[in-house]
């Protein structure tokens, strides 16, 4: 085996392990915490987790086998089934990300009417559309025998037909597929999350103004407390930008190389470097390993649920008593937090 094949194999192993463990952990948190199950975004996250788990258990191991052996993994029918799942699950996961972005846009831009605009019934309808959208493209590809083993990506996925007419039809199908999945989702992510960032920056400015006014009134405030307040303002501004960049950036970085290679492949006759195709496919798979952290595990509610599960397994109680003792010994830090909190409360929109 070449060094590139060994590196790609190790990369795929890491992606498979991380994806399986992290998505299983998200599923456990969903089943354990009733509050998460009651929330509308929980349905979209559950659907995304379901797609990522199936993709990690079906398509990724066969791609790893193809990279290691440079051979067709399994029989033709088996490979067609896996290729059908690969198309369906990838498309479904992309649309789930778009649904999550729309949900967060409504929650931030219309906070007072969010529960009347986005209900569980609306989430079920959106999920039904994602399944119908994904199934339609997958069924068409399967019926026209456009799924099978693709040597460039060492995986069971969409592949070209042999006849000239079939190649033309396949090119049209591929362009429509990526236009209504990758391109559509990219536009939705950019529009919704940039609007969310705009609203977040507006509220940050209002909080900063109120915080500075409070600092001016408090003449006898300790300089260290004032400095902490200013540092908190800076962190608040950076936090919103960092989160939005993560949502959009992971999607673009993981899927763009694969989609561009797919489209360019339709119009060139010279073969691509196989290692490039395997790398693009691995990057697309890596999104399944990133999603649990981007959308779930790094959020406070999921981190607290994980902590509760660990404490329950270890039969430990929540250390609330020690937390009160620590708070009593940090008066200056609490004073800074109170000032920032007062600014946040006054900056919130009211009825």
């Amino acid at each position: 085996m070449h060094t590139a094949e060994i590196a790609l194999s190790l990369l795929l192993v890491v992606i498979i392990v991380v994806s399986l463990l992290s998505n299983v952990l998200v599923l456990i948190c969903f089943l354990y915490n009733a509050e998460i199950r009651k929330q509308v975004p929980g349905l979209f996250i559950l659907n995304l987790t379901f797609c990522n788990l199936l993709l990690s258990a079906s398509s990724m191991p066969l791609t790893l086998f193809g990279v290691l052996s440079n051979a067709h993994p399994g029989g033709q029918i088996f490979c067609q089934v896996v290729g059908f799942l690969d198309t369906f699950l990838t498309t479904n996961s992309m649309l789930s990300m778009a649904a999550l972005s729309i949900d967060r846009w409504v929650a931030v831009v219309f906070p007072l009417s969010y529960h009347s605009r986005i209900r569980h019934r609306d989430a079920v309808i959106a999920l039904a559309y994602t399944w119908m959208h994904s199934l339609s493209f997958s069924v068409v590809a399967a019926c026209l025998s456009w799924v099978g083993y693709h040597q460039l990506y060492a995986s069971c996925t969409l592949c070209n037909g042999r006849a000239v007419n079939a190649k033309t039809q396949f090119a049209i199908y591929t362009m429509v597929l990526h236009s209504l999945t990758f391109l559509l989702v990219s536009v939705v992510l950019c529009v919704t999350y940039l609007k969310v960032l705009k609203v977040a920056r507006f509220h940050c400015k209002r909080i900063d103004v109120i915080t500075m006014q409070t600092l001016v009134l408090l003449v006898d405030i300790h300089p260290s407390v004032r400095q902490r307040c200013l540092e908190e303002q800076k962190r608040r501004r950076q936090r919103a930008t960092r989160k939005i960049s993560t949502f959009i950036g992971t999607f673009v970085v993981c899927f763009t190389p694969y989609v561009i290679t797919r489209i360019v492949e339709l119009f060139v006759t010279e073969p691509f470097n196989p290692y490039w195709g395997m790398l693009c496919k691995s990057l697309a798979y890596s999104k399944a390993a990133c999603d649990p952290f981007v959308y779930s595990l790094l959020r406070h509610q999921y981190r607290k649920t994980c902590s509760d599960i660990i404490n329950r397994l270890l039969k430990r109680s929540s250390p609330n008593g020690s937390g009160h003792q620590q708070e009593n010994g940090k008066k200056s830090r609490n004073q800074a937090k109170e000032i920032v909190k007062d600014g946040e409360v006054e900056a919130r929109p009211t009825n």
Side-chain angles (χ1 to χ4, degrees):
M1 292 180 63
H2 295 286
T3 305
E5 292 177 348
I6 296 175
L8 287 170
S9 300
L10 292 176
L11 177 62
L12 280 171
V13 169
V14 171
I15 291 173
I16 292 172
V17 173
V18 173
S19 178
L20 287 174
L21 293 179
S22 58
N23 283 285
V24 167
L25 184 57
V26 172
L27 185 59
I28 292 174
C29 291
F30 182 87
L31 297 175
Y32 182 84
N33 194 323
E35 292 297 325
I36 295 178
R37 295 196 300 270
K38 291 179 182 178
Q39 297 172 357
V40 174
L43 296 178
F44 299 132
I45 292 176
L46 179 63
N47 187 65
L48 182 61
T49 303
F50 168 77
C51 294
N52 290 337
L53 278 174
L54 283 183
L55 193 66
S56 304
S58 60
S59 184
M60 292 186 192
L62 291 183
T63 302
L64 176 62
F65 178 83
V67 173
L68 292 173
S69 62
N70 292 322
H72 192 290
Q76 182 178 1
I77 297 179
F78 177 72
C79 193
Q80 288 179 347
V81 173
V82 175
F84 172 88
L85 287 175
D86 181 77
T87 305
F88 170 76
L89 296 174
T90 303
T91 304
N92 201 339
S93 63
M94 287 186 183
L95 295 175
S96 298
M97 297 173 208
L100 279 169
S101 69
I102 295 174
D103 175 83
R104 298 195 177 189
W105 169 68
V106 175
V108 172
V109 179
F110 308 102
L112 301 180
S113 59
Y114 169 74
H115 293 290
S116 62
R117 290 173 180 265
I118 303 294
R119 293 166 293 184
H120 279 82
R121 183 185 63 183
D122 302 321
V124 171
I125 294 175
L127 289 179
Y129 170 76
T130 62
W131 278 65
M132 291 178 59
H133 186 119
S134 306
L135 276 174
S136 61
F137 282 101
S138 304
V139 169
V140 169
C143 292
L144 297 177
S145 300
W146 285 342
V147 287
Y149 182 72
H150 201 305
Q151 187 68 37
L152 175 62
Y153 307 104
S155 61
C156 297
T157 181
L158 296 174
C159 57
N160 290 321
R162 295 182 179 179
V164 177
N165 293 333
K167 288 184 178 181
T168 303
Q169 295 173 359
F170 180 79
I172 297 174
Y173 167 84
T174 304
M175 295 292 293
V176 173
L177 170 65
H178 293 306
S179 298
L180 295 180
T181 52
F182 173 77
L183 183 59
L184 176 63
V185 174
S186 299
V187 172
V188 171
L189 290 179
C190 291
V191 171
T192 54
Y193 282 130
L194 289 179
K195 286 185 177 294
V196 169
L197 180 60
K198 182 179 179 180
V199 174
R201 286 180 174 177
F202 172 74
H203 287 296
C204 284
K205 289 181 180 179
R206 294 181 62 187
I207 294 171
D208 291 345
V209 170
I210 297 173
T211 303
M212 293 305 298
Q213 291 175 350
T214 308
L215 290 175
V216 171
L217 295 176
L218 296 176
V219 181
D220 58 342
I221 191 172
H222 195 275
S224 62
V225 178
R226 186 186 300 271
Q227 183 63 29
R228 290 194 187 100
C229 291
L230 296 176
E231 291 176 356
E232 180 63 25
Q233 289 180 2
K234 183 179 179 180
R235 284 195 295 268
R236 190 188 302 111
R237 288 191 296 266
Q238 294 176 348
R239 194 181 303 125
T241 304
R242 185 169 59 250
K243 287 183 178 180
I244 299 303
S245 301
T246 302
F247 290 137
I248 300 176
T250 52
F251 181 84
V252 173
V253 171
C254 292
F255 285 118
T256 300
Y258 177 72
V259 173
I260 291 179
T261 304
R262 273 291 192 179
I263 294 175
V264 173
E265 183 188 7
L266 300 172
F267 304 101
V268 298
T269 56
E270 297 181 0
F272 283 87
N273 188 326
Y275 298 132
W276 169 252
M278 297 175 191
L279 178 61
C280 292
K281 192 65 175 176
S282 300
L283 281 176
Y285 286 150
S286 67
K287 191 66 172 70
C290 296
D291 287 340
F293 300 98
V294 173
Y295 293 101
S296 306
L297 296 179
L298 295 181
R299 293 174 56 192
H300 173 73
Q301 190 174 28
Y302 281 85
R303 287 190 283 111
K304 185 178 182 301
T305 303
C306 291
S307 178
D308 292 342
I309 293 174
I310 294 174
N311 290 333
R312 184 173 181 179
L313 292 176
L314 298 178
K315 297 182 179 180
R316 295 187 305 186
S317 59
S318 180
N320 291 329
S322 61
H324 289 295
Q325 296 177 356
Q326 293 176 358
E327 290 178 0
N328 293 330
K330 300 178 180 179
K331 293 182 179 180
S332 61
R333 182 177 301 175
N334 288 340
Q335 188 177 4
K337 290 181 179 179
E338 288 297 328
I339 294 172
V340 174
K341 188 181 295 184
D342 292 339
E344 290 180 350
V345 170
E346 295 199 20
R348 289 176 186 169
T350 58
N351 293 326

